[in-house]
Amino acid sequence: MDIYEALRTRRTVREFKPDLVTDESLGKLLSAARWSPSSRNQQPWRFIVIRDRDTLVKMGETAGSGGFLARAPLAIAIVMDNADQPLMDAGRALQQMELVAWSEGMGTCYVTLTDDQRATIADVLGIPEGPFLVTVIPFGYRHDDFQGRGVPRKPVSELVYAETYGSPFAG
Amino acid sequence: MDIYEALRTRRTVREFKPDLVTDESLGKLLSAARWSPSSRNQQPWRFIVIRDRDTLVKMGETAGSGGFLARAPLAIAIVMDNADQPLMDAGRALQQMELVAWSEGMGTCYVTLTDDQRATIADVLGIPEGPFLVTVIPFGYRHDDFQGRGVPRKPVSELVYAETYGSPFAG
């Protein structure tokens, strides 16, 4: 899929087909993650591939608004180990995965974890002291009748300035 | 450009053609940024488009290792206003811009700012108290003879685990 088309059509997906994610699609997701840039090329991410149903259900039960994790065939935990810029680098890898997922007919939705939820899930995943679990992201194929809700965007005039903060951008 | 090709071929670019970035390319960059997902759809980014040569030079002189800012025809400041997850959301928008830039024949390089550099540049850009300047990212077209240095990636065995932290991933 064309990159520009991918980012214009991408929608948040919370319900997935039960089909397992193919090795080819999973390989592309992991390549997208690994090929993401990182601060000083530290490559400080660790990705845990989770397909075990019990683990997915346990995480879904823990994750509050991220209950859809329990109904995904796959989740990938993003763990940052000794990173200069853990959240920035995690966000960049996540976005590469999200765009590739979309182009592969899949989808995902970001899961925000509270500190308590994070600690419980880190325990389930056997993450030792030190590495930081950012989040766990579900992946699965979209239903055939998936209709993404278009999320309205703020107008350019509100989001984009020219030269200095607050100055109108004319294009 | 195909999304998967874009993320596999993308390289860091620090030297740019002097050509101005076209309105069409700039429009795509800003769309890529605006169409990025954000926590609770807050859309908490503000993007400052900087093409003024004096400002670019001043920022390059301030930014330490980001001196290449002074030699770019365009920079975009990413400012987060009242965001739940400022660095995650900034990273996601940045990565969408970076991939579109690459597909448009442009390139960019992340600029890490110290707190002092950040304060100086925020002042140059007239950013008031409150909104947080994450960074300023240069954009420009790649030279015709640009040869991206392939940055080696750690092996899958080091970055990817199966089911629990540290467990080998077999694919």
Side-chain angles (χ1 to χ4, degrees):
Chain A
M1 188 184 284
D2 175 72
I3 164 70
Y4 195 66
E5 186 195 339
L7 65 87
R8 283 306 298 260
T9 58
R10 183 204 53 78
R11 297 287 179 272
T12 293
V13 179
R14 291 186 186 81
E15 300 298 332
F16 311 99
K17 282 189 185 178
D19 310 37
L20 296 183
V21 172
T22 65
D23 286 349
E24 191 193 338
S25 291
L26 175 57
K28 283 189 172 180
L29 284 179
L30 294 173
S31 290
R34 285 174 64 229
W35 284 93
S36 177
S38 58
S39 180
R40 296 195 292 122
N41 193 33
Q42 293 184 313
Q43 306 175 51
W45 348 263
R46 301 295 177 271
F47 303 103
I48 309 178
V49 174
I50 302 145
R51 291 178 283 197
D52 182 83
R53 186 108 305 275
D54 289 347
T55 305
L56 290 163
V57 168
K58 219 177 292 176
M59 294 193 302
E61 286 170 354
T62 304
S65 64
F68 45 83
L69 270 170
R71 297 185 299 278
L74 166 71
I76 297 180
I78 305 178
V79 183
M80 303 306 282
D81 190 11
N82 227 340
D84 282 357
Q85 303 221 40
L87 295 177
M88 171 72 67
D89 287 352
R92 297 174 90 178
L94 165 63
Q95 204 51 29
Q96 298 219 141
M97 283 197 277
E98 183 157 357
L99 290 169
V100 162
W102 184 258
S103 78
E104 290 284 302
M106 296 191 284
T108 188
C109 178
Y110 187 80
V111 175
T112 300
L113 299 175
T114 65
D115 288 344
D116 281 355
Q117 292 165 353
R118 193 187 311 278
T120 303
I121 292 178
D123 200 45
V124 168
L125 298 178
I127 300 172
E129 286 287 310
F132 177 70
L133 171 66
V134 176
T135 186
V136 185
I137 305 290
F139 290 99
Y141 296 104
R142 307 192 287 275
H143 285 291
D144 295 331
D145 60 352
F146 173 76
Q147 292 276 350
R149 199 166 54 93
V151 178
R153 285 297 188 273
K154 294 178 183 171
V156 169
S157 59
E158 198 171 321
L159 296 183
V160 182
Y161 303 136
E163 303 299 340
T164 55
Y165 196 91
S167 305
F169 173 75
Chain B
M1 189 185 283
D2 175 72
I3 164 69
Y4 195 67
E5 186 193 338
L7 65 85
R8 282 306 297 259
T9 58
R10 185 204 53 77
R11 297 287 180 270
T12 293
V13 179
R14 291 186 184 81
E15 299 298 331
F16 311 99
K17 281 187 183 177
D19 310 39
L20 296 182
V21 172
T22 66
D23 286 349
E24 193 194 337
S25 291
L26 175 57
K28 284 189 174 181
L29 284 180
L30 294 172
S31 291
R34 285 174 66 231
W35 285 93
S36 177
S38 59
S39 181
R40 296 195 292 122
N41 193 33
Q42 291 183 314
Q43 303 174 53
W45 347 263
R46 300 295 178 270
F47 304 103
I48 309 177
V49 174
I50 302 145
R51 291 178 283 196
D52 182 83
R53 186 108 304 276
D54 289 346
T55 306
L56 290 163
V57 168
K58 220 176 293 175
M59 294 194 302
E61 286 170 355
T62 305
S65 62
F68 46 82
L69 270 170
R71 297 184 300 278
L74 166 71
I76 297 181
I78 305 178
V79 184
M80 303 306 282
D81 190 11
N82 227 339
D84 282 357
Q85 303 222 39
L87 295 177
M88 172 72 67
D89 287 351
R92 297 174 89 179
L94 164 63
Q95 205 50 28
Q96 298 220 140
M97 284 196 277
E98 184 157 358
L99 289 169
V100 162
W102 184 258
S103 78
E104 290 285 302
M106 295 190 285
T108 188
C109 178
Y110 188 80
V111 176
T112 300
L113 299 175
T114 66
D115 288 344
D116 280 355
Q117 292 166 352
R118 193 189 311 277
T120 303
I121 292 178
D123 199 46
V124 168
L125 299 177
I127 300 172
E129 286 285 310
F132 176 71
L133 171 67
V134 176
T135 186
V136 185
I137 306 290
F139 291 100
Y141 296 104
R142 308 192 286 274
H143 286 291
D144 295 331
D145 61 352
F146 172 76
Q147 292 275 352
R149 197 166 55 91
V151 178
R153 285 298 187 275
K154 295 178 183 171
V156 170
S157 59
E158 199 172 322
L159 296 182
V160 183
Y161 303 136
E163 303 300 338
T164 53
Y165 197 90
S167 305
F169 173 76

